[in-house]
């Protein structure tokens, strides 16, 4: 398990966990049920997924470390038992 705060966005962090996932969280996001109803953006299961969860990356085994790229805001590097991944989470900024 690894956690790293974003180098430029103080409310964002990336976390890896024992379920072999890497997730990106924005703790500044708050759910607004009234606005969701007004815009018609209420989705089935939306109560099960926290609004702060921006992205999940799956597919590696035993993720050990994650690090944000210092110059590319949405790029992460993760290392795991089966290698490393470099990926960009689109639409999080």
């Amino acid at each position: 398990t690894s956690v790293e705060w974003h180098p430029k966005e103080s409310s964002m962090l990336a976390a890896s966990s024992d379920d072999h996932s890497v997730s990106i969280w924005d703790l500044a996001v708050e759910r607004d049920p009234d606005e969701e109803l007004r815009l018609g953006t209420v989705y089935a299961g939306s109560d099960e997924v926290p609004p702060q969860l921006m992205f999940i990356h799956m597919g590696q085994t035993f993720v050990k470390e994650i690090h944000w790229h210092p110059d590319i805001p949405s790029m992460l590097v993760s290392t795991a038992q089966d290698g490393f991944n470099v990926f960009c989470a689109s639409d999080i900024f």
Side-chain angles (χ1 to χ4, degrees), residues 64-86:
K64 297 297 179 192
E65 289 187 53
I66 49 172
H67 295 287
W68 292 99
H69 190 284
D71 297 319
I72 303 172
S74 61
M75 183 175 281
L76 281 168
V77 175
S78 61
T79 60
Q81 181 181 21
D82 56 351
F84 70 94
N85 283 179
V86 178

Side-chain angles (χ1 to χ4, degrees), residues 1-8 12-17 21-24 55 57 60 63-80 83-89 92-93:
T1 302
S2 177
V3 174
E4 184 167 289
W5 289 97
H6 194 278
K8 296 179 180 156
M12 293 190 78
L13 64 93
S16 66
S17 63
S21 70
V22 174
S23 54
I24 297 175
F55 180 84
H57 174 72
Q60 288 184 286
V63 181
K64 297 297 179 192
E65 289 187 53
I66 49 172
H67 295 287
W68 292 99
H69 190 284
D71 297 319
I72 303 172
S74 61
M75 183 175 281
L76 281 168
V77 175
S78 61
T79 60
F84 70 94
N85 283 179
V86 178
F87 57 92
C88 257
I92 63 168
F93 288 99

Side-chain angles (χ1 to χ4, degrees), residues 27-82:
L27 302 181
V29 173
E30 293 184 22
R31 184 170 178 260
D32 186 348
D34 294 333
E35 183 178 2
E36 290 173 356
L37 284 174
R38 185 175 57 78
L39 296 174
T41 57
V42 178
Y43 302 106
S46 63
D47 289 336
E48 300 169 13
V49 178
Q52 297 84 5
L53 180 59
M54 300 283 108
F55 180 84
I56 297 179
H57 174 72
M58 303 289 287
Q60 288 184 286
T61 306
F62 300 113
V63 181
K64 297 297 179 192
E65 289 187 53
I66 49 172
H67 295 287
W68 292 99
H69 190 284
D71 297 319
I72 303 172
S74 61
M75 183 175 281
L76 281 168
V77 175
S78 61
T79 60
Q81 181 181 21
D82 56 351

